[in-house]
Amino acid sequence: MLRSSLARCQHHAIRCSPVPDSRSSSRAMFWRIVRRLITANRGRLFVILLALAAGAAITAALLNLQIDAKRRLTTEFRSFGANVIIAPKNPSTESAFADTIPLAIFSALPNRNDGRLVDKAAFLYTITNVSPADKDTGATDPQKTIHAVVVGYGYRASDIHDLVPGTTIAGDTGGRNDGVYCEAGEAVAKRLGIEVGAWIRMGGTEGRECEVTRIDRYGGPEDNQIFADLDVVDKIINPSRVDNSFRGFPAPPIFPDRVNLIQLGVPGTPESIERYIAALQKQFPDVDVHGIRQFSEAQAKIYAKISGLLTATVVLVLILTALCVMAAMTNVAMERRNDVGLMKAIGGATRRVLRLFLTEAALLGLSGGLIGAAVGIALSIGLGKAVFGVAARPRLIVYPIAVGLTIIVAIASSYPLRRLASIRPASVFRGEA
Amino acid sequence: MFLRLVADSFTRRPRRKLLTGAALALGMAVATAALSVSLDVGDRLAQEFRSLGANLIVTPQADSLPLEIGGVDYRPANSGAYLPESDLPKLKSIFWHNNIIAFAPILEADGYLAAKQSELDAFHLGTEVPLIGTWAAQPVYLPGSGETFTTGIEKTSPWFQIEGRWFAANGGEVDRVEVRGTPGTGSGHSYVSAPAECVVGANLAKRLGIRIGDRPYVNVATMEKMASYFLCAITGILSTGGAEDNAVLLPLRVVQGYTGKPGRYRKLYVSALSKPEDNFARRDPKSMTADEFERWSCSPYVSSIAYSIQQALPGSDVRVIRRVAEGEGNILSHVRTLLWLVTFAALLAAALAVGASSAASVIERRPEIALMKALGAGRGSVGFLLAAEQLLLAVAGGGVGYAFGIILARVVGEKIFGAAPEPSLLVFVIILALAAGVTMLGSAIPLRRAAHFQPAPILRGE
């Protein structure tokens, strides 16, 4: 079939040759031969396109997944909770919770880092009497009163577990956070003998009551703490603040002006978190801003390992894919021996013949790359979903890179054709190797 | 005749065969490397995650509710329960003893610190500081195996940065200094031969101007020992980014001695290698059947390690530090999936490469096949001959590829984790099977097509 298509070309060549200015017609001829070369054998075309497209697809999918995975990994590290703390600069020796920082800092904090939201919450601590309270009368049992740490936290965008990771044993907040609901650590709930739905009373005579909506397990000091609304704790500490709320019907809260601690969950790569901290330190010289070293250091270390591993594997796979495509293309090129022999026999210059085949390779690379890279990017979206549960965001930069690589590989794999230049047509036709 | 044909095809065109074999070996080398690294990566990463420090905390069961804020316990002195230090070697005798990487007991006390003796009198007790008694590079004799296991706070909290060095394991001999004029004691003072070694937090050191080599006075604030200061030789300055930055760390034995709690500790941090928790691991062991319980306790889940520690240390309450364990579990399982995916892509690419080259090697032998058929060879014997050739090539190429792949895996492993993955027989078997399977599959398709051709046109070269 191939031979016959070339035979037809030969006809044209002979017919066209007497024309004196053959430049435009020879160009037309060139493209005509290229077209024939590509379309003459449908089966072969399919195999080459498949190889090139598969290569491009793997390249595009892995590149996209790799870029996305690195970004995603930094999100994964958020499951360690807060990584930056803003605390009073010089703690007095008296007690840690006697030192405060102005809450005004909180609203001045940048909301985003690396384009993603920063989790943040302000914390106010007190140690006070806590006792189970009767749901209706509010009466408490002095026998069951214990001393416990009550933590007020507030102005957070999402759940406390985003900053202080733990597992919920029972109940849920149900999105309610209006001052009369609180969450208890496992140990303190056990000590008080309370279940989800019970009411507790915190503080002395001017104390507050809240309904325990959730009991959590942390494996840390939080197990012994009760988490309540920031304003509630502020009112336990400073009962003199004006308050006109009624149990169950909260009035607009009166915000405290000082807190003990601000915790931040800053997303991004270790370097960008460092920059975020440095900026805060400059902005608020009166307070102590520092990364939680336990997590920030481990995070930087692990991030480097994982991304190194990922890069190494992706590079290996890409090299392999290139070799795979090359092997397929080289075989195809070697099959052209007869064609080259024929072309040279009828007077084709070696350079022209080579150009012919390189053009063919480039065109195949382009089309294979275009199809494959599109498939690959679609694939990486699905794969991202499988790994991280969230679809990978397609990166447009990956597309031209994958297509370009495919074209380069396609042309490079035609390299053995250079050897064909030394072919003596006669020996080809005699069937000699 | 059969063997001769096979041998001939290898010797007649060695270059062609070498090329196909090289492609095969290369593909298999990458597949081996990717597979070895992936198989190994779970353990290596689990090890890396131990740079997060302890993932288990042991406290006394009968303890009163700790009033801890920012790492400082505000309970009155002498309240709460303690655990015996002598039980600690048992940690290395539990079922999961190899997974226990480090542990460090903690005993805290309130204390006072004064840089010079002249700063102390009846009205000036010094600066109030938290004292933390713990282990640093402490040799623990294990009666079971007769070996010594070295552990301490520097291993359970790897992010601690020390300038200078940790206090020595035996902490030096402690001699008391009686301070003149303090209430309840006589006057006069004694000399100190070898003071306790201690480490001071960076913030505290900065605040009080303490340097390495200084010998400040430290006192444990208990009522009966109000006046007995002891010297402590600063061997290092510790920066942690946490509450320890404002504390003095001493050998556990010293704090035990001064608080009157010999051989006791209050908190124990344990760092254990564990497997990421799945839904099964999160179930309550009490609700499991006997079979399920056995499966649970035979998997190194952090919760089953906690369970076996609790069995070994009577009166203890072992809790999983959720913040560390959950984050680790999440990331580990995701990274593992990701790497398996990439490995799968590597295997796929290798399979494609090898399949394509073996397909090509069959295609170019069409005239030979036609000739054999023309001479009366059946489809079966032609196929058998080619299959034998390809298999031979697959075994040779796969073997060479495996060897190269192991070297490649070593390079990648050393570079990233500083440790090479162990060559595994499983990978070798998988690689050989993959090489054989892919070459057979690759050559099967052109062989089938070749079977439909009539020998005559092929021999004519059409």
Side-chain angles (χ1 to χ4, degrees), chain A residues 77-160:
Chain A
F77 281 111
R78 302 298 336 109
S79 55
F80 286 123
N83 52 5
V84 177
I85 277 185
I86 304 178
K89 195 143 205 174
N90 280 315
S92 68
T93 50
E94 210 178 315
S95 63
F97 56 101
D99 303 301
T100 53
I101 51 173
L103 188 61
I105 290 175
F106 190 83
S107 44
L109 292 172
N111 273 324
R112 284 173 182 275
N113 189 41
D114 266 10
R116 275 168 294 156
L117 275 178
V118 175
D119 285 321
K120 50 183 181 176
F123 290 79
L124 189 61
Y125 294 90
T126 187
I127 294 177
T128 183
N129 287 327
V130 177
S131 53
D134 189 273
K135 195 171 178 172
D136 302 312
T137 62
T140 58
D141 181 359
Q143 295 281 312
K144 284 188 181 166
T145 302
I146 57 166
H147 244 56
V149 177
V150 177
V151 186
Y153 68 102
Y155 314 114
R156 66 210 159 80
S158 41
D159 200 275
I160 185 74

Side-chain angles (χ1 to χ4, degrees), chain B residues 240-409:
Chain B
T240 71
E244 299 82 6
D245 279 352
N246 288 306
V248 178
L249 282 87
L250 304 107
L252 180 65
R253 206 172 41 84
V254 175
V255 178
Q256 284 170 346
Y258 279 95
T259 49
K261 300 277 182 298
R264 306 269 128 178
Y265 68 92
R266 190 146 202 186
K267 247 192 309 197
L268 175 74
Y269 286 109
V270 182
S271 176
L273 278 179
S274 66
K275 180 178 162 183
E277 291 203 314
D278 45 30
N279 282 333
F280 175 65
R282 289 199 186 90
R283 280 178 54 187
D284 184 9
K286 284 180 200 120
S287 71
M288 291 180 189
T289 64
D291 278 356
E292 283 175 331
F293 182 73
E294 183 158 336
R295 187 154 71 86
W296 177 77
S297 54
C298 290
S299 312
Y301 295 128
V302 68
S303 48
S304 55
I305 296 174
Y307 183 82
S308 61
I309 292 177
Q310 189 147 14
Q311 301 292 311
L313 304 178
S316 71
D317 183 24
V318 186
R319 285 177 298 159
V320 176
I321 301 176
R322 289 282 149 197
R323 184 171 190 177
V324 173
E326 302 248 308
E328 175 181 341
N330 277 345
I331 296 172
L332 258 185
S333 55
H334 282 165
V335 168
R336 228 180 237 189
T337 324
L338 186 70
L339 279 173
W340 275 117
L341 216 74
V342 179
T343 308
F344 182 73
L347 292 183
L348 198 74
L352 275 176
V354 172
S357 70
S358 59
S361 73
V362 171
I363 288 174
E364 65 163 25
R365 290 174 64 182
R366 283 219 314 241
E368 207 181 318
I369 296 169
L371 185 63
M372 281 192 264
K373 283 177 97 172
L375 289 175
R379 259 174 75 176
S381 52
V382 172
F384 195 56
L385 178 75
L386 284 171
E389 269 180 38
Q390 297 287 1
L391 265 185
L392 210 62
L393 206 62
V395 171
V400 173
Y402 176 77
F404 274 114
I406 288 295
I407 296 171
L408 200 62

Side-chain angles (χ1 to χ4, degrees), chain A residues 352-369:
Chain A
R352 275 194 81 181
V353 173
L354 259 178
R355 212 161 61 209
L356 210 61
F357 286 112
L358 289 183
T359 312
E360 185 201 4
L363 278 178
L364 285 173
L366 181 68
S367 44

Side-chain angles (χ1 to χ4, degrees), chain A residues 245-260:
Chain A
S245 71
F246 180 73
R247 183 154 72 94
F249 299 94
I254 299 148
F255 299 119
D257 50 9
R258 297 191 77 82
V259 290
N260 291 121

Side-chain angles (χ1 to χ4, degrees), chain B residues 14-194:
Chain B
R15 228 176 119 179
R16 225 30 190 145
K17 277 278 182 286
L18 211 65
L19 255 169
T20 320
L24 216 154
L26 202 81
M28 288 305 132
V30 174
T32 307
L35 208 59
S36 313
V37 170
S38 288
L39 279 176
D40 193 57
V41 78
D43 291 349
R44 293 267 172 252
L45 275 181
Q47 203 107 39
E48 288 299 324
F49 271 98
R50 291 288 98 257
S51 60
L52 284 169
N55 48 1
L56 290 163
I57 181 166
V58 182
T59 48
Q61 221 162 33
D63 204 1
S64 59
L65 196 67
L67 302 174
E68 193 179 324
I69 297 175
V72 182
D73 199 333
Y74 292 97
R75 271 180 293 185
N78 283 326
S79 81
Y82 299 85
L83 285 167
E85 190 185 348
S86 55
D87 276 351
L88 289 182
K90 286 188 195 164
L91 281 178
K92 289 297 280 182
S93 65
I94 62 167
F95 182 65
W96 294 115
H97 61 96
N98 282 330
N99 290 47
I100 307 274
I101 291 182
F103 50 90
I106 304 269
L107 182 66
E108 285 159 325
D110 292 333
Y112 294 95
L113 183 139
K116 289 188 208 72
Q117 193 171 358
S118 57
E119 291 173 10
L120 298 168
D121 59 43
F123 307 104
H124 297 97
L125 296 170
T127 312
E128 200 178 333
V129 289
L131 304 179
I132 302 171
T134 188
W135 285 356
Q138 174 93 13
V140 181
Y141 176 72
L142 308 175
S145 58
E147 285 167 7
T148 307
F149 175 67
T150 307
T151 183
I153 191 95
E154 79 283 0
K155 287 190 181 150
T156 55
S157 309
W159 67 95
F160 281 14
Q161 280 176 0
I162 188 144
E163 183 194 326
R165 63 170 177 86
W166 279 99
F167 43 76
N170 56 11
E173 284 305 309
V174 186
D175 280 356
R176 280 180 209 180
V177 183
E178 302 292 313
V179 178
R180 212 176 322 187
T182 46
T185 55
S187 53
H189 60 264
S190 60
Y191 290 96
V192 173
S193 52

